[in-house]
Amino acid sequence: MLFMSKNVIIIGGGIQGVCSAYYLQKEGHQVTVIDKSNFSTGASYVNAGYITPSHFISLAAPGMISKGLKWMFNPASPLYIKPRLNPDFLKWVWAFKKSATAFKVENSISPIMHINLFSRQMYEDIKLSNDFKFHYERKGLLMCYKTDKVGEEEWEVGKRGIEEGLKVEHLSLKDVEEIEPKANLNIKGAVYYHSDAHMTPNHFMPEMIRYLKSKGVVFFANEAVVDITISNKSISKIITNKQTLTCDEAVLAAGSWSPLLTKKIGLKIPIQAGKGYQINVNRKTNITIPAILCEAKVAVTPMDGFTRFAGTMEIAGINHKINTNRVNAIAKAAKLYYSTIDMTSEELSKAECGLRPCSPDGLPYIGKSSMCKNLTLATGHAMMGWSLGPATGKLVSEIISDKKTSLDIKPFHPDRIF
């Protein structure tokens, strides 16, 4: 088959957008990336930097609705859903409720795990290419717990991970102290996933953008897509606040803003923005292995030169308002689990947030909708956005290059019914 280079426009310059650009340019396509920011802010820069085969249980798990209702009145809870009479929000909640069944969660385990494992391999291939210098370590992930009840729950998940082929261990406090001797953890034990890796997002993103520019990828910063012209179920023009562009193919990787654009082609994908927070501690913490503080739902990552504490899921629409109650909850959790960690007011004042695009069933949207022939979606990754960047980018390039995809993408279809 004769290869045809295509003119591809990617809407969104976060991890999904730049990874799509990376694999598309490797296939020989002409690529342009448009983003409303300056390519230095957002969820792709303030996340925990996890590559997470361990996270194979969907957010839409049985019991999550009742937890959400219980936490609704606690401003410092790990999950906060702000009730509002918004049609898109109400449809999303209903779809989430229908997805939160044991049957649907069971069916999503294999797709979630395999795309994570595939993405981890892609990250390692990028690292081995010697075109980049970025922090990447595969030290696993500790699911740290303070109560026997939570420990038992985490181990049940861990045993399922073993069934799926992951290496998982149930560690006592003494076991944890042998591999993390100076962190002063105040816990009962941990479930240790050897499968996971971690990175420093603030290093990888600029490196990838630098590389892509050197390969001829065009970047338009501080430019918002305001309209899309459709002709015969195909995008003919992409209109920004600065110019009008034409393309053979388009990729929508606009995160939480994606539904605003899919509506223009008649596709209503349910996505809600899930706000997460991060606090960076730029001093020695003696933390060397990434951990999730289970009861508090806080992620801890030893990044290159600092330690990042991240957490909470706040579903309250698109906004970047910093909720100090939630920032303080992360700091409090850090102190409860690591007895020597005491964050300063200056560190708390520099807390940042990012919006994660959450689908109702915990699976991303990757692929083409029947509503548009030349639009490929790459959005809805929720808390696994960073983890799934390269896998998504590779799949997007295979779809646009008319190649057989490396993974079965049916579970991620944008037209799936909830």
Side-chain angles (χ1 to χ4, degrees), residues 109-128:
I109 286 174
S110 182
I112 291 173
M113 183 178 294
H114 284 100
I115 192 172
N116 269 286
L117 289 168
F118 178 57
S119 207
R120 185 187 69 188
Q121 184 58 54
M122 294 293 99
Y123 268 122
E124 292 179 357
D125 289 349
I126 293 170
K127 181 75 172 173
L128 288 171

Side-chain angles (χ1 to χ4, degrees), residues 288-348:
T288 65
I289 299 175
I292 288 182
L293 316 180
C294 291
E295 288 86 355
K297 302 288 190 290
V298 168
V300 184
T301 316
M303 294 189 176
D304 191 9
F306 62 97
T307 304
R308 176 167 291 175
F309 296 82
T312 81
M313 176 67 83
E314 181 181 331
I315 297 174
I318 292 180
N319 72 82
H320 284 89
K321 184 181 176 183
I322 299 289
N323 184 328
T324 55
N325 285 326
R326 306 187 77 70
V327 173
N328 291 334
I330 293 172
K332 183 181 178 183
K335 179 67 173 173
L336 282 172
Y337 286 76
Y338 297 94
S339 55
T340 55
I341 298 292
D342 204 355
M343 295 182 193
T344 67
S345 56
E346 183 182 1
E347 286 164 344
L348 299 184

Side-chain angles (χ1 to χ4, degrees), residues 206-414:
E207 273 284 293
M208 179 59 83
I209 292 168
R210 173 199 59 77
Y211 172 84
L212 292 173
K213 285 180 177 178
S214 77
K215 295 296 180 181
V217 174
V218 176
F219 285 80
F220 291 124
N222 302 308
E223 195 160 331
V225 174
V226 294
D227 206 357
I228 295 171
T229 303
I230 301 290
S231 176
N232 191 28
K233 281 196 171 183
S234 288
I235 293 172
S236 56
K237 293 178 183 176
I238 292 175
I239 302 158
T240 77
N241 57 341
K242 296 180 181 178
Q243 60 183 319
T244 297
L245 299 162
T246 59
C247 63
D248 299 315
E249 295 274 350
V251 178
L252 182 58
S256 298
W257 289 263
S258 297
L260 303 176
L261 294 173
T262 59
K263 283 181 181 178
K264 295 182 183 298
I265 65 166
L267 173 63
K268 295 181 180 179
I269 54 167
I271 280 180
Q272 284 293 308
K275 189 191 296 179
Y277 295 84
Q278 62 137 55
I279 307 166
N280 291 337
V281 175
N282 295 295
R283 51 196 161 87
K284 194 173 182 180
T285 61
N286 293 316
I287 297 169
T288 65
I289 299 175
I292 288 182
L293 316 180
C294 291
E295 288 86 355
K297 302 288 190 290
V298 168
V300 184
T301 316
M303 294 189 176
D304 191 9
F306 62 97
T307 304
R308 176 167 291 175
F309 296 82
T312 81
M313 176 67 83
E314 181 181 331
I315 297 174
I318 292 180
N319 72 82
H320 284 89
K321 184 181 176 183
I322 299 289
N323 184 328
T324 55
N325 285 326
R326 306 187 77 70
V327 173
N328 291 334
I330 293 172
K332 183 181 178 183
K335 179 67 173 173
L336 282 172
Y337 286 76
Y338 297 94
S339 55
T340 55
I341 298 292
D342 204 355
M343 295 182 193
T344 67
S345 56
E346 183 182 1
E347 286 164 344
L348 299 184
S349 71
K350 292 179 180 177
E352 295 180 281
C353 68
L355 301 178
R356 298 163 293 196
C358 300
S359 69
D361 61 357
L363 295 169
Y365 301 107
I366 305 170
K368 291 190 175 184
S369 166
S370 60
M371 302 298 291
C372 189
K373 299 172 188 173
N374 65 342
L375 176 67
T376 303
L377 273 74
T379 187
H381 295 73
M383 294 178 292
M384 290 184 290
W386 186 265
S387 185
L388 302 185
T392 301
K394 181 70 171 174
L395 293 169
V396 164
S397 76
E398 290 170 341
I399 292 164
I400 289 174
S401 302
D402 300 313
K403 291 186 171 183
K404 186 179 188 308
T405 54
S406 299
L407 298 174
D408 177 11
I409 59 172
K410 289 190 192 75
F412 314 124
H413 202 291

